[in-house]
Amino acid sequence: MSEQSTTHDEDGKAVSYDFMRIGMDKLLTLRGELDELNDALMDVEALCDTEGAKQVARLIRELEQFEPSITMVGQIKSGKTSLVNAMVGRPGLLPADVNPWTSVVTSLHLNVPQEENAPVASFQFFDADEWDHLVSSGGRIGELSMRAGADEELQKVHEQIAEMREKTMTRLGRRFELLLGQRHDYREFDDDLMQRYVCLGDDFDDVSPDEQQGRFADITKSADLYLDAPALPVPLCIRDTPGVNDTFMMREQITIKSLRDSRLCVVVLSASQALSSVDMGLIRMISNVKSEGIVIFVNRIDELSDPVNQLPDIRDSILSTLSKLNGPQDPVIVFGSAYWANMAISESMDDFVEDSADALRRCAQAVFGSEDIDFTQRDLIWQLSGVPHLFDTLSDRIAAGPGARLLAHLRKRACNFIAGLRAASSVASIRIDGGEIEMMQPQALSALLDQVEANAKQRLDAALNEVFGAFAGRVDQSHARFLDRALESLLQHLEQNGENEVWQYSPDGLRMLLRTSYQVLRKNLIAACSATYGDAANDISEAYHKAVAAGVDGFAVTPPSPPEVPAPVSLGATIALDLQTSWWNGWWKRRRGYRAYASGFQSLIEAETTPLISELKDRQAAEIRQAATDRLTTFLAEQRSILMGIAEKAHINMGDLQDLFGIKTQTERAELLEMIYDELSGAEEPAEDAGEATARKGAAA
């Protein structure tokens, strides 16, 4: 399936999709910067020997693999999937009626370079452990019910699971257990294939099992599709997540994992529902993403009776709810209609719903009045759909965020490499001109660099031990403090109200304490990395001066930037006290005596919050630490390659040296390297946020 930039209407006339490029200005600028850096790197690659060319090729590969991701979240039936279909210009690509029992995250990889004959569709199934967790304990809801002793609630969950399991076994038969953990890959896909993996199962008796819609839906965990999208200037990954209101809370956990891998999140709301306190789970998830990473798209405005006058009230309601529930402050809110967007790019508009068309006409009148507009009908519908405004916001944030960071990171590494080439070229020039240069033997230089590397890694390990040790201490202290305060609140409630009134206590205090601890971790990590990376760069410079006796111009070492610290989105996971359900009231009624209330509550919440604590202290901390270590390791490896290359040029025999550089071309080569270096080093750095600026000042002090 390949996207076309034009289609044909009912009269057979060609219809252009050029309007789909509206809102892409910042991405077009970013595309130009990526291409300029790629061209510069290819020029450097052409000036290198074989070993140097391999190193530059790695930078080019990282540039080609740039794929910023956007995660779409929202409730079931908010219209996320229809919006995603419109954003990629393919009405009906993903089934909009996703099976409520599945937890399928569908990632659309747009314009991502693929090897020849690589699959364009991959479907990953739940593994045996994930399935057993659902079946044996009923997922997160089952866990909470078991801890609370809510037998009736747990029985309902098990009945639902048994029904789901029976249907799954009927569809898949004896192959069921063999399929768990597997991945199905395809070199092409169509609607029927998508429906078999992610759409509602039909279980029709007259349809063969192999052809049934939803055949694999119950065990499909995620789907990856690779598509061409000519309207997009850069590769992009758009993740469509299932609705977060899920009986077993499987979707919540999977959506949180998707958010962890993204820096941008589009929250899709339905205009008829807007945002209410019922959406606490959704607000909790997005509240842990930076405000600049959140865009709210209010969908289905075509279903409003009076959209022009209702939209301001909806906006005020959303902002008020976010403020009351500690959601993101001042988020960008875009109003639109995925239905209109899909109609604008569909082959025919004959089926346009009349009420929706009326709403469109009223919106057009309000926006454009009676002025003459140079739009085709499809252009007008696309403009009013809100998708161009959405793309404009996303383009701006991609260019200023992940795009700018990638460019800055690769430019630094390229400049370091070019500086090494210039130094090697200077060594060669001195020798070709008949001069003498004393250079440490390669074996001795390698030993010196081994010591530099060992020292740098030791300093980083010590700094990270201190950073993460302090973080673990803060997290444990926050956890203990929360339990103490909650227990004190419970005892006061019992003393004042007795046992007949149900006590409630919000876990938001724990989340705030943990979020603060995480912010301190981020600040300390940036400071530690800035200091240790800077020390490593200074050590490399000193090693160079020790290795080269004669003064050679053109060598400077720039330390890498600290790695980006992802948002602690796991803090948005539901904690037992978020759910004021029948089992929670039942837990309360089953306690006997104040001491039983206190100890029972502490055991329940401690068991419920321990996985969250472990997620932050262990898994997420380990990933951040590994990223910091990997960045130093890559930097040291690249510097070793540069310095060893200089040493080899100092000891190569004159004949080979002249063949390598050429007496006549040496001056031209040096000029080219200087031009490229000036071009890359003169590029603007991405703006620091407040946390990075504070951390850098702390490191400097």
Side-chain angles (χ1 to χ4, degrees):
M1 296 176 67
S2 60
E3 183 175 359
Q4 299 176 346
S5 58
T6 60
T7 185
H8 293 82
D9 62 17
E10 52 270 26
D11 297 324
K13 296 179 180 178
V15 178
S16 172
Y17 283 174
D18 285 346
F19 54 77
M20 289 186 63
R21 302 179 188 276
I22 300 172
M24 304 287 185
D25 292 353
K26 294 294 177 61
L27 288 186
L28 282 169
T29 301
L30 176 61
R31 175 75 271 163
E33 292 182 282
L34 293 171
D35 289 342
E36 286 176 6
L37 178 54
N38 185 73
D39 290 344
L41 291 174
M42 292 183 70
D43 288 341
V44 174
E45 186 179 27
L47 296 170
C48 292
D49 57 18
T50 303
E51 195 58 38
K54 289 180 182 178
Q55 187 167 330
V56 178
R58 284 194 289 270
L59 298 182
I60 294 174
R61 204 156 44 243
E62 286 189 40
L63 196 63
E64 292 173 343
Q65 292 171 349
F66 175 61
E67 185 192 8
S69 59
I70 301 167
T71 296
M72 316 289 287
V73 301
Q75 284 195 342
I76 291 173
K77 300 301 181 184
S78 62
K80 295 187 308 300
T81 301
S82 295
L83 178 59
V84 170
N85 289 341
M87 290 172 70
V88 301
R90 297 183 181 224
L93 170 68
L94 300 179
D97 186 15
V98 177
N99 182 355
W101 295 113
T102 60
S103 301
V104 181
V105 172
T106 305
S107 298
L108 304 182
H109 304 274
L110 309 172
N111 298 338
V112 174
Q114 286 280 86
E115 294 182 5
E116 189 175 356
N117 296 324
V120 298
S122 294
F123 302 93
Q124 179 67 52
F125 298 143
F126 287 112
D127 62 32
D129 290 341
E130 291 166 327
W131 184 263
D132 287 345
H133 173 67
L134 173 64
V135 173
S136 62
S137 66
R140 289 277 289 119
I141 288 291
E143 288 178 351
L144 300 181
S145 300
M146 282 190 288
R147 279 200 279 272
D151 297 335
E152 183 179 346
E153 197 87 11
L154 187 58
Q155 179 62 29
K156 291 179 182 178
V157 172
H158 283 159
E159 288 174 359
Q160 291 175 324
I161 292 175
E163 181 182 355
M164 179 185 70
R165 182 182 175 85
E166 183 179 349
K167 287 185 177 181
T168 303
M169 294 290 287
T170 300
R171 288 196 191 104
L172 302 177
R174 288 179 296 179
R175 295 180 57 204
F176 164 63
E177 291 186 354
L178 295 175
L179 287 169
L180 293 177
Q182 289 190 18
R183 175 185 288 272
H184 284 184
D185 294 332
Y186 297 89
R187 292 184 181 176
E188 59 183 25
F189 66 90
D190 55 22
D191 293 345
D192 290 339
L193 183 69
M194 293 300 300
Q195 289 172 5
R196 285 205 300 276
Y197 284 89
V198 303
C199 199
L200 179 67
D202 44 32
D203 298 320
F204 294 148
D205 293 334
D206 58 347
V207 179
S208 70
D210 289 339
E211 296 177 350
Q212 276 188 354
Q213 176 178 305
R215 173 168 167 73
F216 301 105
D218 294 336
I219 63 171
T220 304
K221 178 181 179 180
S222 62
D224 290 272
L225 308 179
Y226 295 84
L227 313 170
D228 292 330
L232 282 174
V234 300
L236 203 62
C237 175
I238 299 180
R239 288 193 178 94
D240 180 27
T241 62
V244 297
N245 39 347
D246 175 23
T247 306
F248 306 133
M249 299 172 80
M250 292 166 60
R251 289 186 178 86
E252 178 187 80
Q253 296 172 78
I254 291 176
T255 300
I256 284 175
K257 290 178 182 177
S258 298
L259 281 172
R260 208 164 49 212
D261 297 331
S262 262
R263 297 296 178 268
L264 284 172
C265 169
V266 176
V267 183
V268 184
L269 306 175
S270 174
S272 57
Q273 292 178 258
L275 188 60
S276 69
S277 58
V278 178
D279 296 305
M280 269 303 302
L282 183 60
I283 297 173
R284 280 198 310 270
M285 279 194 283
I286 64 175
S287 66
N288 295 293
V289 180
K290 291 182 181 180
S291 294
E292 60 268 25
I294 299 290
V295 180
I296 295 177
F297 187 88
V298 182
N299 193 23
R300 300 185 183 277
I301 65 169
D302 57 290
E303 298 176 3
L304 296 175
S305 58
D306 186 11
V308 175
N309 293 311
Q310 288 174 276
L311 295 188
D313 292 337
I314 293 173
R315 178 190 293 276
D316 291 343
S317 173
I318 292 172
L319 292 175
S320 175
T321 303
L322 289 175
S323 177
K324 290 176 184 176
L325 301 177
N326 297 315
Q329 296 180 349
D330 300 322
V332 171
I333 300 178
V334 178
F335 291 93
S337 165
Y339 176 77
W340 289 347
N342 280 286
M343 290 304 297
I345 55 179
S346 63
E347 292 189 6
S348 171
M349 291 189 286
D350 288 345
D351 298 329
F352 212 124
V353 175
E354 185 57 35
D355 288 345
S356 180
D358 288 341
L360 179 71
R361 283 189 284 270
R362 289 194 294 273
C363 286
Q365 179 65 30
V367 173
F368 300 108
S370 58
E371 62 183 86
D372 292 333
I373 52 175
D374 189 20
F375 290 152
T376 66
Q377 185 182 34
R378 291 177 183 271
D379 290 343
L380 178 63
I381 297 172
W382 183 255
Q383 287 277 8
L384 294 174
S385 74
V387 174
H389 184 188
L390 176 62
F391 266 129
D392 184 58
T393 303
L394 294 174
S395 297
D396 183 45
R397 296 187 177 185
I398 289 171
R405 286 192 292 270
L406 175 78
L407 288 168
H409 180 57
L410 291 184
R411 281 169 180 154
K412 282 184 179 180
R413 292 167 62 187
C415 284
N416 279 337
F417 184 73
I418 295 170
L421 288 180
R422 293 168 67 190
S425 189
S426 296
V427 169
S429 295
I430 292 172
R431 295 190 62 204
I432 290 173
D433 291 341
E436 292 294 330
I437 186 167
E438 294 182 19
M439 183 77 190
M440 186 181 290
Q441 289 294 325
Q443 186 174 358
L445 176 58
S446 180
L448 176 60
L449 293 176
D450 286 342
Q451 188 60 51
V452 168
E453 181 174 347
N455 291 340
K457 289 184 175 180
Q458 185 177 20
R459 284 195 298 264
L460 182 62
D461 282 342
L464 294 182
N465 285 340
E466 185 176 346
V467 168
F468 287 105
F471 174 61
R474 288 190 189 92
V475 168
D476 288 339
Q477 187 179 39
S478 298
H479 193 198
R481 189 182 304 168
F482 169 76
L483 288 174
D484 288 344
R485 288 179 178 175
L487 287 173
E488 180 62 28
S489 171
L490 172 59
L491 293 174
Q492 288 181 6
H493 170 86
L494 291 170
E495 291 170 357
Q496 295 172 6
N497 305 294
E499 302 176 13
N500 295 323
E501 184 177 337
V502 175
W503 167 76
Q504 295 182 351
Y505 193 78
S506 171
D508 287 344
L510 175 62
R511 290 193 179 94
M512 293 178 65
L513 289 170
L514 294 177
R515 188 181 300 123
T516 299
S517 298
Y518 195 85
Q519 290 169 347
V520 174
L521 164 69
R522 182 175 182 273
K523 182 188 74 172
N524 290 343
L525 180 88
I526 292 172
C529 288
S530 297
T532 52
Y533 293 173
D535 289 342
N538 291 335
D539 288 350
I540 291 290
S541 296
E542 289 180 13
Y544 168 76
H545 291 299
K546 289 179 182 178
V548 184
V552 177
D553 295 331
F555 187 74
V557 181
T558 303
S561 302
E564 187 178 4
V565 179
V569 292
S570 58
L571 292 180
T574 300
I575 297 174
L577 294 179
D578 292 319
L579 300 173
Q580 300 300 327
T581 58
S582 59
W583 64 259
W584 179 244
N585 292 333
W587 176 89
W588 179 263
K589 293 175 182 177
R590 281 188 291 276
R591 305 282 80 77
R592 292 293 181 268
Y594 287 2
R595 186 173 298 278
Y597 280 112
S599 62
F601 171 76
Q602 183 171 22
S603 298
L604 173 68
I605 300 305
E606 192 165 13
E608 173 66 9
T609 52
T610 293
L612 175 62
I613 300 300
S614 298
E615 170 77 8
L616 282 179
K617 281 174 51 180
D618 301 330
R619 193 208 61 78
Q620 193 151 3
E623 286 185 2
I624 296 169
R625 181 171 188 140
Q626 189 62 51
T629 302
D630 288 347
R631 185 150 291 193
L632 176 65
T633 300
T634 299
F635 170 72
L636 292 171
E638 290 176 348
Q639 295 308 308
R640 173 181 288 273
S641 175
I642 291 169
L643 286 177
M644 293 305 295
I646 295 174
E648 289 167 3
K649 301 301 183 295
H651 293 93
I652 194 171
N653 68 63
M654 187 60 68
D656 291 340
L657 188 66
Q658 290 178 349
D659 290 340
L660 182 62
F661 288 100
I663 296 175
K664 294 181 179 178
T665 60
Q666 177 61 15
T667 302
E668 181 182 355
R669 181 175 184 274
E671 290 175 352
L672 286 171
L673 287 172
E674 187 161 355
M675 283 174 52
I676 298 171
Y677 183 87
D678 290 343
E679 176 186 339
L680 295 180
S681 61
E684 291 185 5
E685 289 280 329
E688 290 183 321
D689 64 22
E692 289 172 339
T694 301
R696 212 170 290 281
K697 289 177 182 177

